[in-house]
Amino acid sequence: MPRPSQRLLSPEIITEAAMRMVDLTGDFTMPGLAERLKVRPSSLYNHVSGRAEIIELMRARMMAGIVVADPDGKWSETVAGLAREYRRNYAEHPRLIPLFTAHTVQSGVAFGLYNALAQAFSEGGFTPEEILHAITTVDSFVLGSALDLAAPEVVWATAPEANEAMLAALATSGPNPGRADAAFEFGLRTLIAGLVAQAPFEP
């Protein structure tokens, strides 16, 4: 019998299938992945060590799409640009985010972004401890904003418990496809302003 022209499995094929499962259901299992790929679960382990490795492969694939440009302006502008690029890429698969946040970052690809953020904050005069805090803050904000893109079109129901200030705020929204983007930009401006205020050096 002739050999098939294409391998049935590879780390790339497994990663792609896992991402599709997470997009649909929010998670994946090794038996479910094997069923999707029409192979035995044991066959997966010839290509990956298990669930944790698949999650890191998915992280590497997502982070590889982030364009880290050479800094050519103020450190605060570099951080803002990286945050926008980070969110843009993760917005394509927001349901992956809870899986990523539950696992230690190990992918070398991910450090392209984190190195650029660390360098920008270093140029702002932040101490090493403050740099880690600042990166964590940016991480939390961007990932939360990317998750917001998967929210329903109407995020808040008008409840009788809402006070006048909340009702006035809700009256400005309605079905608004641009709400998440506008909220991200508002939050990013606020975040950058706070970081600039904390920085020892001028932005």
Side-chain angles (χ1 to χ4, degrees):
M1 174 181 290
R3 297 178 63 182
S5 58
Q6 183 177 4
R7 290 190 302 166
L8 294 176
L9 286 180
S10 69
E12 293 76 18
I13 289 172
I14 293 169
T15 300
E16 175 67 24
M19 289 179 70
R20 291 183 181 278
M21 286 186 69
V22 176
D23 285 343
L24 289 171
T25 68
D27 204 350
F28 75 96
T29 64
M30 298 300 282
L33 192 53
E35 182 178 358
R36 183 180 183 87
L37 291 168
K38 297 180 173 55
V39 298
R40 294 182 179 181
S42 58
S43 299
L44 299 175
Y45 293 95
N46 292 325
H47 303 274
V48 294
S49 59
R51 176 181 167 88
E53 183 181 355
I54 294 172
I55 290 173
E56 278 306 294
L57 287 169
M58 291 192 291
R59 192 199 307 274
R61 178 164 174 171
M62 293 296 296
M63 299 296 271
I66 296 174
V67 177
V68 178
D70 291 333
D72 57 0
K74 301 175 181 179
W75 68 263
S76 57
E77 294 172 350
T78 298
V79 171
L82 289 168
R84 290 189 181 96
E85 179 66 12
Y86 191 6
R87 176 179 179 264
R88 179 199 63 76
N89 206 64
Y90 268 65
E92 299 176 11
H93 302 279
R95 300 185 82 177
L96 289 171
I97 293 170
L99 291 179
F100 293 160
T101 56
H103 288 77
T104 301
V105 179
Q106 300 181 51
S107 169
V109 176
F111 281 89
L113 171 72
Y114 293 127
N115 288 344
L117 284 171
Q119 183 61 40
F121 287 125
S122 178
E123 291 171 4
F126 290 91
T127 67
E129 183 179 18
E130 290 170 338
I131 288 172
L132 192 59
H133 293 334
I135 289 174
T136 302
T137 300
V138 171
D139 223 17
S140 299
F141 170 67
V142 170
L143 294 179
S145 296
L147 272 177
D148 188 33
L149 290 165
E153 189 171 323
V154 177
V155 180
W156 298 276
T158 302
E161 292 82 5
N163 62 19
E164 287 188 17
M166 187 61 186
L167 287 172
L170 290 174
T172 69
S173 61
N176 181 2
R179 177 200 60 79
D181 290 336
F184 170 75
E185 288 297 330
F186 176 86
L188 183 60
R189 289 193 303 272
T190 304
L191 176 60
I192 295 298
L195 290 167
V196 168
Q198 294 274 351
F201 299 160
E202 290 294 326

